[in-house]
Amino acid sequence: MVLLSDNEYTIEVAIRRAAQAFEDNDLHYGHGTETALDEASWLVLHALGLSPAIEPDYTQKLTAAQIADCNSLLERRIAERIPAAYLTGQGWFAGRAYLSDKRALVPRSPMAEFIADDFYGALDGIDSPRILDLCTGGGCIAIACAYARTDAIVDASDLSADALALAAQNVELHEMQDRVELLEGSLFEPVSNRYSLIISNPPYVDAADIAAMASEFSHEPMMGLEAGDDGLDLVRIMLRDAADYLEPKGVLVVEVGNSGEALEAAFPSLEFAWLEFANGGYGVFMLTREELLAGNIK
């Protein structure tokens, strides 16, 4: 399979031809991009040694060697259905690049907007807040929180030693060793502090969605995706225990994606506040410590 021939191409033409090939081969997106054009742009620019965050000179002509480099990445994307973040070794979250590989899910969550937009005011008036990121994976949410609140101390827990090894590399990459502490264990097991904010993008995919997933998801660690028949195995524990680890008026913010309807049906005593995102995304709720206690979750 050769997507780009030895003909002269500009960057723009190479991207558009790659995008058309992606569409022709029914690729799935959602691991950092939403369209064939965005995915093709990311891969072509990476092959050329350019950042996808900086607009290139689209009229620049490619050399034969550059075309070969592009083909190598583009052909693997089609043949092996590997997400672009794993092919490039880099994912993006809240405007910053992170190391990304198969030890943890590709960085992606609408909570990037929540974090970048000053936590929607949830931490207003709190000096030196302590934040806990549950199921941190590669650490991007924890690190983004530390960037957003320079006075915050952030703890980040995960059950996977492999994911925490990747998170440690990202902590070092962003020079956050003094701000972000990584804890190994399931949810609250390694935790001994109380927090102003507990945030989590946990496994929340239900059994039906797992069975219907596109091939791209098979490259990610399944323990970061599946969460029982209704997708709520870990969220149930969070709702039961989070109040014990929150400061008064502290908040719990959790992404549950398509499992939101099942969540509301399972916990009718809780009044979930569902966050809205200007840049797209859904399925993220907020509850205060007081709301959790009033819900009397057992």
Side-chain angles (χ1 to χ4, degrees):
M1 179 195 307
V2 177
L3 298 183
L4 306 179
S5 68
D6 292 334
N7 296 332
E8 285 193 352
Y9 289 102
T10 63
I11 292 177
E12 179 180 2
V13 171
I15 289 172
R16 293 194 179 280
R17 289 190 178 233
Q20 186 60 57
F22 288 176
E23 290 181 352
D24 292 344
N25 285 274
D26 296 323
L27 298 189
H28 176 84
Y29 313 105
H31 290 87
T33 67
E34 298 297 334
T35 68
L37 190 63
D38 288 343
E39 188 97 350
S41 178
W42 184 357
L43 289 173
V44 168
L45 293 178
H46 179 82
L48 300 178
L50 302 174
S51 169
I54 300 174
E55 185 170 340
D57 175 5
Y58 287 107
T59 66
Q60 176 186 326
K61 291 185 176 180
L62 276 59
T63 66
Q66 289 174 324
I67 290 173
D69 290 340
C70 288
N71 276 330
S72 177
L73 272 183
L74 300 173
E75 290 165 9
R76 288 194 69 197
R77 179 66 182 91
I78 292 174
E80 300 177 48
R81 295 303 204 261
I82 301 173
Y86 287 166
L87 287 171
T88 64
Q90 184 181 71
W92 291 79
F93 186 79
R96 291 183 171 87
Y98 293 85
L99 301 175
S100 180
D101 61 37
K102 294 184 179 183
R103 289 175 289 177
L105 299 188
V106 173
R108 58 184 186 276
S109 173
M111 287 196 292
E113 183 177 325
F114 166 75
I115 296 168
D117 195 9
D118 199 22
F119 303 94
Y120 288 11
L123 297 179
D124 286 358
I126 301 175
D127 294 328
S128 302
R130 186 175 285 273
I131 298 171
L132 172 63
D133 174 23
L134 293 174
C135 306
T136 194
C140 62
I141 288 177
I143 295 167
C145 287
Y147 272 119
R149 279 295 298 256
T150 57
D151 61 338
I153 297 297
V154 183
D155 292 338
S157 73
D158 204 288
L159 181 61
S160 168
D162 285 342
L164 286 175
L166 176 60
Q169 290 179 273
N170 277 317
V171 167
E172 183 176 1
L173 174 68
H174 290 272
E175 299 181 343
M176 289 288 184
Q177 295 95 323
D178 295 334
R179 303 276 316 286
V180 177
E181 182 175 1
L182 302 176
L183 307 171
E184 184 175 350
S186 178
L187 299 180
F188 298 105
E189 288 179 359
V191 174
S192 58
N193 294 303
R194 286 183 177 268
Y195 301 89
S196 302
L197 169 65
I198 297 175
I199 190 169
S200 182
N201 179 14
Y204 60 72
V205 184
D206 64 32
D209 283 348
I210 288 287
M213 275 185 167
S215 299
E216 280 80 355
F217 290 95
S218 68
H219 296 279
E220 295 189 291
M222 195 54 59
M223 71 178 294
L225 295 168
E226 60 184 356
D229 288 344
D230 62 3
L232 302 178
D233 282 3
L234 293 184
V235 177
R236 283 187 169 85
I237 299 171
M238 293 182 192
L239 293 176
R240 184 193 70 197
D241 296 343
D244 295 335
Y245 298 92
L246 284 168
E247 297 283 359
K249 298 184 180 179
V251 296
L252 172 70
V253 176
V254 181
E255 181 174 348
V256 294
N258 289 341
S259 297
E261 185 176 345
L263 180 70
E264 289 193 315
F267 296 94
S269 65
L270 293 174
E271 295 187 10
F272 296 96
W274 294 98
L275 303 187
E276 297 182 0
F277 302 102
N279 297 319
Y282 63 94
V284 179
F285 71 79
M286 178 189 293
L287 289 167
T288 66
R289 178 177 185 269
E290 289 69 28
E291 289 168 335
L292 287 164
L293 290 172
N296 195 29
I297 306 302
K298 300 297 185 181

